[in-house]
Amino acid sequence: VWADPATGAAIARRSTTRFATGTVAFDAVVRWPGRPRQVTPAPRLDLDLPTGGATTSPTGAISWPGAASIALTATVHGDRVAVANIAGDEATTMLTLAPDQTAVWAPGDDRDLDAQLSGYVHAGRVKEYARAFAPDLDFLDEQLAVRVNINDECNAYSDGTTINFFRASDRCENTGTIADVVYHEFGHSMHAHALIPGAGFFDGAFSEGLSDFLAITMTDDAGMGRGFFKDDVALRDLDPPTSEAVWPRDLGEVHTTGMIFAGAMWDLRKALVEQLGHDAGVTLADRLFYAAVRRAPSIPATLIEILAADDDD
């Protein structure tokens, strides 16, 4: 503090406190546990520091006073995503973070822990992806509840808001550790919250199809659900070399019927990418997709709603 020598009044101030910065990250799946993994910054994650509670930035960064390493407690919840472990206590860990370094929380061979860490990463990722084509959707600003390690197998579900994932079994992988399935289930919740009252309708088959498309446009791969049966084979191939699903020939169970919309939307995406280039084509395809999500009451009506929304814009 610089003071006026005559009066003693402060005339200028400069902080001498020094702050260190580091990153908190999770070792998470890229698609499923059988593929290579990736150290991914943990955005907007709640932490306990010796100085009190803190939250990482959108890039997983955190700052603290001083220049020494810091011990912190990490959780699996933040203001945008909160993971609940149905099989037991919520996961926490102690990490030591050095200035300008990254502290990584890795699950090792613990599939239940992997579902919590990977579920957090991919739930946050799909919310941010959706923000690009749905910037005004209030649901994206709410905390998303992600329930993992439910004592069942070979499935996952959305209740319209919360997304829920089952534990691994001899037949199936833990669905919370499959990125495509996390994206798919979020698609159902997004659908329920994005509908325009009096226009769109929550049709089950349409919702399955749009949720599949959300997953494959994010992964840039028409093979949705790789890893579901613990191998790299797609659970649903939305761009088969022969026998594209068409209406009404291929009507069936809701997931099967949904492939008609997802496959047609993927074909539109491919055509737009070829015409406009990858980034511009995907951006336009996603925007048209969301127009249908908000307005369409069923699969046959989606083309009309897409074209009408495009004319309005």
Side-chain angles (χ1 to χ4, degrees):
V1 178
W2 284 264
D4 184 318
T7 67
I11 57 175
R13 297 174 182 269
R14 177 172 62 85
S15 174
T16 58
T17 304
R18 295 293 179 262
F19 288 88
T21 301
T23 300
V24 178
F26 292 166
D27 175 15
V29 301
V30 175
R31 291 286 293 278
W32 69 283
R35 284 194 176 187
R37 305 176 66 85
Q38 185 175 41
V39 172
T40 304
R44 308 180 74 106
L45 182 71
D46 290 342
L47 305 172
D48 284 327
L49 278 60
T51 54
T55 302
T56 62
S57 74
T59 60
I62 191 74
S63 295
W64 64 94
S69 298
I70 191 171
L72 58 86
T73 301
T75 65
V76 282
H77 59 76
D79 63 346
R80 296 292 173 84
V81 175
V83 178
N85 177 29
I86 305 307
D89 294 335
E90 175 188 305
T92 62
T93 192
M94 291 287 296
L95 297 171
T96 299
L97 181 57
D100 301 319
Q101 300 298 313
T102 298
V104 180
W105 188 359
D109 295 327
D110 187 340
R111 281 288 175 266
D112 284 0
L113 177 57
D114 197 7
Q116 295 175 73
L117 302 185
S118 293
Y120 183 91
V121 166
H122 290 289
R125 186 168 292 171
V126 68
K127 288 187 75 175
E128 289 309 304
Y129 187 91
R131 194 178 299 278
F133 57 75
D136 298 326
L137 181 59
D138 292 340
F139 176 58
L140 300 179
D141 294 323
E142 299 173 6
Q143 186 185 64
L144 175 67
V146 181
R147 302 171 73 247
V148 299
N149 300 322
I150 296 170
N151 191 27
D152 208 331
E153 65 167 1
C154 301
N155 212 339
Y157 69 93
S158 162
D159 64 6
T161 298
T162 300
I163 53 178
N164 304 266
F165 303 94
F166 293 178
R167 299 180 86 176
S169 68
D170 291 340
R171 293 191 302 144
C172 301
E173 189 54 84
N174 185 313
T175 50
T177 66
I178 306 173
D180 300 25
V181 177
V182 176
Y183 304 154
H184 174 98
E185 297 307 333
F186 178 80
H188 289 307
S189 295
M190 180 188 72
H191 186 198
H193 286 265
L195 290 169
I196 298 174
F201 178 77
F202 195 92
D203 174 75
F206 175 46
S207 195
E208 294 297 342
L210 70 86
S211 297
D212 273 358
F213 178 76
L214 178 60
I216 63 178
T217 193
M218 284 194 64
T219 61
D220 203 23
D221 175 12
M224 185 272 168
R226 298 190 190 278
F228 192 89
F229 290 113
K230 301 187 177 184
D231 57 35
D232 212 43
V233 177
L235 181 63
R236 289 185 286 277
D237 185 354
L238 284 312
D239 192 26
T242 60
S243 189
E244 292 271 359
V246 298
W247 189 282
R249 185 194 68 194
D250 296 304
L251 296 177
E253 181 266 342
V254 288
H255 294 87
T256 301
T257 302
M259 293 175 68
I260 298 170
F261 172 75
M265 198 66 227
W266 181 260
D267 289 343
L268 174 60
R269 183 185 188 271
K270 286 198 304 179
L272 291 172
V273 166
E274 182 176 356
Q275 179 183 3
L276 304 174
H278 183 272
D279 291 351
V282 171
T283 297
L284 180 54
D286 288 349
R287 184 171 65 83
L288 296 175
F289 152 77
Y290 187 60
V293 168
R294 299 186 70 207
R295 297 170 172 85
S298 63
I299 290 176
T302 55
L303 178 59
I304 296 171
E305 300 300 338
I306 287 174
L307 293 176
D310 191 41
D311 288 342
D312 290 343
D313 294 338

